[in-house]
Amino acid sequence: MRNSEVHGEGPRNETAGPLDESFEHVRGRQLGAFSRAQASAHGITDKVISQRRRARQIQQVHRGVFVDFTGPLPFETRVWAAWLAYAPDAALTGATALRQYGVEGVWGDHIHLAVPHARRVGKQPGILVTRHRGYSAQLYGSRIPPIVRLEVAALVRANTEPNLSRQAALLLEVCRQRATTPARLLDELDSLTRLPGRQTLRRIVLDAADGAQSFLEHLYLHRVERAHALPTAARQVRFQSATSSRQQVVYRDSEYTQYGLIVELDGRLGHSDTESSWRDMHRDNAATVSGKLTLRFGYQLVDEPCLAATQVAAALNLRGWLGHPRPCSPTCQATATHLPKPVWGG
């Protein structure tokens, strides 16, 4: 939308210059979005705005918020428009903040905003507003639009997930992507004293601190290893694998070092491309030639953790473990009767 069109006055006049240029800069910075208050501050009346809307030169997005073009709105313009609808005491949070920080995920179309807890606001279409205690202390720097710290966004988002599995998947994923660290998440949890379910979130983050980097690793740790009293594996074990041309550093998800057993967990998230598949093959082959066994599990862990425990226990027995898996429930199938006798000692 040209500046003269904003004013609705055709060619520029002697009073349009500085204000026109300033408003153009504001709209450009806000990716086309502007508020009625901003327009008024630059001498643009409601009558002009109404004329431009009827002429289909601008469109209204929220109450008192417009964009200077017609047609579909890019996501980033929607972010600005949503913030302007609640500005200035509002900040990006939850899924929207994670997306702005570059965290990969499926975040949906709604814009998530935080406002001070004492503030009462109405609803606007496409915007989800949450009230934050300690709002000002949660902001990152002095960005516009304001945004809460990544750790706050991740914890708030995780807290809205409907079950433990999805909470774990989100928090472990932001750590796996190295967007943050378990230590930072734990520090932030200490400040979010009234966040519901914070103790559950703390247990997930502590698992991440112990080396679990994905939902499958978290699941294996709790529903396979700990639930069946298996030995404790080392997590994310660094290993230098030799390819045909160079040395490559890889990480093994879980390794029972004493027994020469490696457990790899493959959810196919970020591991489905050819290069990653070849890297996994090299890693498994290197383990085999060094005399180690490798077991690989995927999402069958969700439905069959007891079967996985049986297989891991059997492999450990073959490698000298003298223990037996503990049934996790009256119907658990991971019992000693399913396991072969050890064939050689530790």
Side-chain angles (χ1 to χ4, degrees):
M1 180 171 64
R2 297 190 303 273
N3 293 307
S4 58
E5 291 177 334
V6 176
H7 285 272
E9 297 171 350
R12 293 172 180 264
N13 59 38
E14 63 272 17
T15 65
L19 291 177
D20 243 10
E21 292 174 358
S22 178
F23 190 45
E24 182 178 29
H25 175 75
V26 169
R27 298 193 328 269
R29 175 170 54 86
Q30 297 172 176
L31 305 180
F34 65 94
S35 67
R36 176 178 281 110
Q38 288 175 327
S40 177
H42 289 83
I44 302 167
T45 65
D46 287 349
K47 179 179 179 180
V48 171
I49 291 177
S50 296
Q51 290 173 343
R52 295 304 109 193
R53 288 185 62 195
R54 288 195 296 271
R56 298 185 181 278
Q57 293 173 330
I58 67 175
Q59 60 179 310
Q60 183 170 355
V61 184
H62 304 294
R63 289 191 297 272
V65 180
F66 310 86
V67 295
D68 62 5
F69 58 87
T70 57
L73 271 63
F75 178 79
E76 295 297 332
T77 300
R78 290 181 54 228
V79 170
W80 274 104
W83 177 70
L84 288 169
Y86 291 91
D89 291 330
L92 308 183
T93 189
T96 305
L98 292 175
R99 183 169 176 171
Q100 295 299 100
Y101 280 119
V103 178
E104 296 178 3
V106 180
W107 302 125
D109 292 329
H110 283 87
I111 308 301
H112 297 256
L113 294 178
V115 299
H117 191 268
R119 186 179 175 189
R120 298 294 189 273
V121 297
K123 293 182 179 180
Q124 298 265 30
I127 306 175
L128 297 178
V129 180
T130 54
R131 295 158 55 222
H132 285 218
R133 298 183 186 274
Y135 164 85
S136 297
Q138 295 172 4
L139 301 183
Y140 175 74
S142 55
R143 291 171 53 165
I144 298 295
I147 187 170
V148 302
R149 289 188 296 278
L150 185 149
E151 292 76 20
V152 174
L155 292 165
V156 167
R157 173 66 179 187
N159 193 57
T160 65
E161 294 291 356
N163 54 56
L164 178 61
S165 296
R166 292 181 61 174
Q167 291 176 340
L170 189 151
L171 292 178
L172 294 170
E173 183 62 18
V174 296
C175 293
R176 188 195 68 80
Q177 292 185 31
R178 291 179 168 80
T180 187
T181 65
R184 291 176 182 174
L185 287 171
L186 288 171
D187 286 344
E188 201 66 67
L189 268 174
D190 288 339
S191 68
L192 299 175
T193 56
R194 299 196 181 186
L195 183 68
R198 62 194 296 268
Q199 293 308 318
T200 298
L201 300 181
R202 180 179 295 277
R203 287 195 294 271
I204 295 170
V205 178
L206 286 173
D207 286 342
D210 285 341
Q213 290 195 350
S214 71
F215 169 57
L216 280 182
E217 291 181 44
H218 174 83
L219 194 68
Y220 179 83
L221 176 64
H222 282 273
R223 298 190 63 189
V224 177
E225 189 175 280
R226 291 181 179 173
H228 298 92
L230 298 178
T232 300
R235 316 285 170 193
Q236 293 301 308
V237 178
R238 189 177 188 271
F239 174 73
Q240 198 160 19
S241 173
T243 66
S244 58
S245 59
R246 59 191 173 90
Q247 295 285 325
Q248 186 175 36
V249 174
V250 295
Y251 291 87
R252 292 165 171 165
D253 293 330
S254 299
E255 182 171 351
Y256 298 91
T257 308
Q258 179 182 353
Y259 304 105
L261 175 65
I262 297 166
V263 173
E264 297 291 359
L265 303 166
D266 185 2
R268 290 289 118 188
L269 177 61
H271 294 82
S272 58
D273 59 281
T274 301
E275 183 179 352
S276 295
S277 297
W278 287 348
R279 184 172 61 245
D280 290 346
M281 291 177 191
H282 281 300
R283 179 180 57 191
D284 292 350
N285 292 343
T288 299
V289 298
S290 67
K292 296 180 179 180
L293 297 178
T294 298
L295 296 181
R296 187 177 292 275
F297 298 101
Y299 280 105
Q300 71 266 37
L301 290 180
V302 175
D303 298 316
E304 300 178 322
C306 301
L307 176 59
T310 298
Q311 293 175 341
V312 172
L316 288 169
N317 279 169
L318 287 171
R319 289 301 182 118
W321 182 52
L322 300 179
H324 301 290
R326 177 186 64 202
C328 65
S329 70
T331 59
C332 179
Q333 298 299 308
T335 62
T337 58
H338 292 82
L339 306 176
K341 295 181 179 179
V343 296
W344 51 279

